[in-house]
Amino acid sequence: MTKIMVVGASGVLGKLICHELLRIYKNHIELIVTDYRTERGEELANSLNSEVKFQHVDINDQESVETSIKEIDVVVVVVKQRTPLIQRICIKRGILCIDVTPFYDFVKEVKQLDQSAKINNTASVVMAGFFPGLSGLMVKEAVLKFEEVTEVNVALLQNTNATAGISGILDKMKIIDFNVYYKNNDISGFTEKRKMYFLDHLREKEVRLIDHAEKSLLNDIISTKRLNYWTAWNSSSFNTLVSILRQVGLTKKIDKLNKGVLSKLMIHNAHKDEYAFLTVEVKGMMENREVVKYLSLRTDSDYQTTAMVTAALTKIILNKKIKGALTPFEVTNISEVTTVINSNTILVEETLHDIE
């Protein structure tokens, strides 16, 4: 039976990943949840399944990590690390590691472990989630059949009602805070605007330009200099608030604010939907025609989708026996991932138009 450990299982995303692992594997796994707080971790394990086990792990204590990560098939990392300690230990012991982190500096450190992972016949996968993760797979799918790609735009329409938790809010704020190199200029993130088509919307929605770690990695495999990432929330007033926070420099300090203040930025209402929408727009030449293709996705929840993608990747990569330090778009495709996920909560639609 496949043995999977989830490091950081007690957080909002960690719990969702645990549920998705049990669903996708139909409970035919040995699941171990970890936490540095024993009582909380044991409570989570008991709430999931009588067969789920708890293991105390403190990611800031190398001895704790070294002692705990052994005789396991997969480690899923849902916590932020200062350095890729868990990845190094997994590689040394030939254990598949899958991490959801969206930040480029950390991803770059993991990618430097590529040769070591190959030597030890294992894989270490980063950016395993929705945005980034599934977004990269959508780009990979969308550019197929193009003889020439002139421009790619990736846009995420977020929901202010998302079950993101404090860490989710912080991650989103940090991403929009980076400057963006756009049209030969270095500009502030979340300032440049455009409108994009999203599934189930009668009108195009305004989104704002951001820097994104996935862009740097996709640039290596897509032959276009014009690859742009955009995002916004489904509330214009919230977008205005975020823009003001960005302008006055508070997004840089937002993680130092009181958690009660942060939680008021996104108040989840369980009785309302939390749909998220992702669109990839590709312009270029196809069969000697200048065309634009839209690959659009709607999902019930961005965090739930991150959990589903992460769980699906464990199964896909174990079956393929892939080696190296990799991203999802280097090892699979959107069709394979959605097949393993097997959920009607994700809807994907493709449209193609001639450019007049």
Side-chain angles (χ1 to χ4, degrees):
M1 188 177 290
T2 303
K3 194 172 183 179
I4 302 177
M5 173 181 281
V6 179
V7 179
S10 296
V12 174
L13 180 56
K15 289 176 184 176
L16 290 172
I17 288 173
C18 290
H19 283 291
E20 285 303 318
L21 285 167
L22 292 170
R23 181 185 70 84
I24 285 175
Y25 283 89
K26 299 178 180 177
N27 290 316
H28 295 312
I29 56 169
E30 187 175 335
L31 180 61
I32 303 164
V33 299
T34 81
D35 199 326
Y36 66 93
R37 290 168 55 181
T38 301
E39 184 178 348
R40 184 173 65 180
E42 289 178 341
E43 183 179 332
L44 172 62
N46 293 333
S47 71
L48 288 168
N49 186 307
S50 61
E51 302 299 319
V52 175
K53 298 176 182 177
F54 166 72
Q55 173 72 51
H56 178 274
V57 175
D58 182 352
I59 65 164
N60 296 312
D61 182 342
Q62 182 167 342
E63 185 178 351
S64 172
V65 179
E66 289 267 11
T67 302
S68 305
I69 298 179
K70 56 186 178 182
E71 299 176 357
I72 297 169
D73 298 300
V74 188
V75 173
V76 177
V77 185
V78 203
V79 291
K80 295 183 184 69
Q81 303 177 82
R82 289 189 292 270
T83 62
L85 171 63
I86 295 174
Q87 278 81 359
R88 289 191 178 95
I89 292 171
C90 285
I91 287 172
K92 183 170 68 175
R93 295 178 178 172
I95 298 169
L96 169 62
C97 182
I98 296 181
D99 196 315
V100 300
T101 185
F103 298 110
Y104 183 69
D105 287 344
F106 184 84
V107 169
K108 187 166 62 174
E109 284 193 65
V110 175
K111 293 288 280 183
Q112 290 170 354
L113 302 174
D114 180 67
Q115 194 58 35
S116 179
K118 289 175 179 175
I119 291 170
N120 287 278
N121 295 312
T122 192
S124 191
V125 178
V126 284
M127 292 186 170
F130 177 38
F131 186 81
L134 195 61
S135 50
L137 294 174
M138 287 181 65
V139 173
K140 180 180 178 180
E141 177 71 20
V143 299
L144 290 176
K145 298 182 181 178
F146 275 85
E147 291 106 23
E148 179 186 354
V149 175
T150 56
E151 184 176 356
V152 179
N153 291 289
V154 185
L156 171 67
L157 185 62
Q158 305 181 60
N159 196 317
T160 55
N161 193 45
T163 312
I166 297 299
S167 61
I169 295 171
L170 293 175
D171 285 349
K172 288 174 172 63
M173 293 298 176
K174 287 175 183 176
I175 288 172
I176 68 169
D177 192 57
F178 294 113
N179 283 0
V180 190
Y181 189 73
Y182 182 67
K183 294 183 178 179
N184 300 318
N185 290 301
D186 197 40
I187 64 174
S188 298
F190 211 67
T191 54
E192 182 74 20
K193 303 173 186 177
R194 67 156 291 177
K195 291 190 174 182
M196 287 278 286
Y197 162 78
F198 291 98
L199 203 59
D200 292 351
H201 287 75
L202 296 177
R203 297 179 180 176
E204 292 182 325
K205 304 291 288 184
E206 184 179 270
V207 288
R208 304 189 182 207
L209 186 69
I210 59 169
D211 191 28
H212 202 282
E214 190 175 68
K215 173 181 174 179
S216 301
L217 300 172
L218 277 170
N219 270 329
D220 296 334
I221 63 170
I222 296 176
S223 56
T224 179
K225 294 180 180 179
R226 299 174 65 185
L227 172 59
N228 306 306
Y229 276 70
W230 310 78
T231 195
W233 281 265
N234 62 337
S235 163
S236 57
S237 59
F238 188 81
N239 290 325
T240 300
L241 172 61
V242 171
S243 181
I244 292 170
L245 290 173
R246 170 72 176 81
Q247 290 172 30
V248 300
L250 282 180
T251 47
K252 294 179 183 295
K253 302 173 183 177
I254 199 164
D255 56 335
K256 295 180 175 63
L257 293 176
N258 181 279
K259 288 191 175 182
V261 174
L262 289 175
S263 63
K264 291 177 182 178
L265 287 172
M266 289 181 174
I267 301 171
H268 178 66
N269 184 338
H271 301 293
K272 292 185 178 181
D273 74 72
E274 51 181 295
Y275 292 141
F277 301 87
L278 185 62
T279 292
V280 176
E281 174 196 81
V282 182
K283 295 179 180 178
M285 299 299 296
M286 184 185 294
E287 297 178 351
N288 296 317
R289 295 155 49 209
E290 191 175 5
V291 300
V292 57
K293 179 195 282 188
Y294 294 98
L295 189 62
S296 304
L297 177 147
R298 186 201 72 201
T299 179
D300 283 6
S301 160
D302 59 353
Y303 255 39
Q304 185 70 46
T305 304
T306 287
M308 290 191 286
V309 172
T310 304
L313 285 171
T314 67
K315 196 167 190 178
I316 291 166
I317 297 169
L318 277 175
N319 288 340
K320 290 185 176 182
K321 298 180 180 178
I322 291 165
K323 305 174 184 65
L326 305 155
T327 53
F329 55 80
E330 294 175 284
V331 300
T332 185
N333 57 64
I334 190 168
S335 176
E336 185 173 39
V337 170
T338 53
T339 298
V340 174
I341 288 174
N342 189 27
S343 171
N344 60 9
T345 63
I346 297 176
L347 177 64
V348 181
E349 180 183 278
E350 179 181 309
T351 57
L352 183 70
H353 307 282
D354 288 317
I355 297 177
E356 297 180 356

